[in-house]
Amino acid sequence: MGGLTLGARGVRATARIVATPEALPVLEGEGPLALRRTRARGPYHRVTVVGAMSAPLGGDRIAVEAEVRDGARLHVDSAAATIALPGRDGERAHYDVRLGVGEGAELRWLPEQLISAAGSDLVMRTRIELAAGARLVFREEQVLGRHGEAPGTLATRLTVYRAGRPLLDQELAYGPGAPGGWDGGAVLGGHRASGQLLIVGPEFTDRPAEPRMLGESAVLTPLAGPGLLVTALAPDARLLRRTLDEVLRTHLPTR
């Protein structure tokens, strides 16, 4: 890790978490990404990401890395929504999330929403590496614009590998810099909140989830591997969260 850098072209910062069954030997925040050990239920270590300054702004390059070693259980959330804001020079911001989950380990990655404010331009990339016996609960939600404003430009890519083999590779793009039709009936259909919930675990090998619609604007899809993906749209963040929470209550193991 190179350390926090502040310059004319934005912030460079990386926050790192390492979890073992016994402890959190690495818990290092930088710049806008402060990490706090918080109280957890059951056998989990819990870490809350706290925004220490406005970010990501145009020109920023920030990252979060989490390694959940064999047999460990980690729950990561955030204290508030992340707001992508425009920088002074109209530059693009980058936000990378890199997660690794070992054999017999579990990661619950449940941050608050990412809000794409008007005039912002953000590329967010998430890469997840899972061992064959790892468990994952991963939620991401995007809100396109604050109340009463147009969205910024947002491009995301989520890639997930299990035992070294691809499990999911998905790209999304919204806002004025995205390809045409992003707000049409075949994509958002006028909604301003989108999200997905990914659950992966060995328990789905013998009992795969059944594909089905969840209301009018959400669908549950079994993966070609031991997991399921829920994609959802909603008029606002509150209704989006309600849909995803219902799936969590139904499918999340109570351990």
Side-chain angles (χ1 to χ4, degrees), residues 234-244:
D236 57 43
R238 179 181 61 85
L239 293 174
L240 177 67
R241 178 64 60 84
R242 179 187 299 174
T243 298
L244 299 182

Side-chain angles (χ1 to χ4, degrees), residues 1-241:
M1 182 174 62
L4 172 66
T5 301
L6 296 171
R9 301 181 69 84
V11 172
R12 307 291 187 270
T14 300
R16 297 183 64 237
I17 306 166
V18 175
T20 69
E22 299 80 19
L24 294 171
V26 178
L27 192 62
E28 300 174 346
E30 283 190 340
L33 301 171
L35 304 178
R36 300 288 183 264
R37 189 192 309 259
T38 46
R39 182 176 297 178
R41 295 180 180 178
Y44 295 87
H45 304 298
R46 181 179 174 188
V47 174
T48 298
V49 181
V50 179
M53 56 192 287
S54 295
L57 302 175
D60 288 353
R61 289 183 175 269
I62 60 178
V64 180
E65 299 175 353
E67 178 188 355
V68 189
R69 293 180 179 169
D70 293 357
R73 296 180 183 176
L74 176 65
H75 179 121
V76 178
D77 55 23
S78 59
T82 298
I83 305 178
L85 296 167
R88 288 178 297 179
D89 301 323
E91 289 191 54
R92 175 170 292 170
H94 294 264
Y95 191 172
D96 292 335
V97 178
R98 298 181 284 269
L99 310 175
V101 188
E103 192 64 41
E106 180 176 345
L107 172 61
R108 297 185 176 184
W109 187 268
L110 300 168
E112 294 302 307
Q113 300 89 355
L114 170 66
I115 300 174
S116 176
S120 64
D121 187 353
L122 175 66
V123 173
M124 186 168 186
R125 295 182 295 255
T126 302
R127 182 182 176 95
I128 305 173
E129 302 270 0
L130 304 174
R135 287 183 170 86
L136 172 72
V137 179
F138 175 88
R139 180 183 69 207
E140 66 175 6
E141 300 164 302
Q142 298 93 26
V143 179
L144 305 179
R146 293 170 292 191
H147 181 69
E149 74 174 10
T153 296
L154 174 63
T156 71
R157 183 174 183 182
L158 170 63
T159 54
V160 184
Y161 293 84
R162 177 180 175 271
R165 301 181 64 181
L167 181 65
L168 179 67
D169 192 339
Q170 178 174 280
E171 291 187 70
L172 302 169
Y174 307 117
W182 64 271
D183 199 23
V187 185
L188 290 179
H191 291 97
R192 281 295 178 266
S194 72
Q196 55 191 354
L197 178 68
L198 172 65
I199 304 178
V200 180
E203 61 270 20
F204 292 107
T205 302
D206 298 324
R207 301 188 307 276
E210 293 291 331
R212 65 182 187 274
M213 293 294 297
L214 305 173
E216 296 182 355
S217 302
V219 61
L220 186 154
T221 305
L223 299 177
L228 65 86
L229 176 68
V230 174
T231 54
L233 299 173
D236 57 43
R238 179 181 61 85
L239 293 174
L240 177 67
R241 178 64 60 84

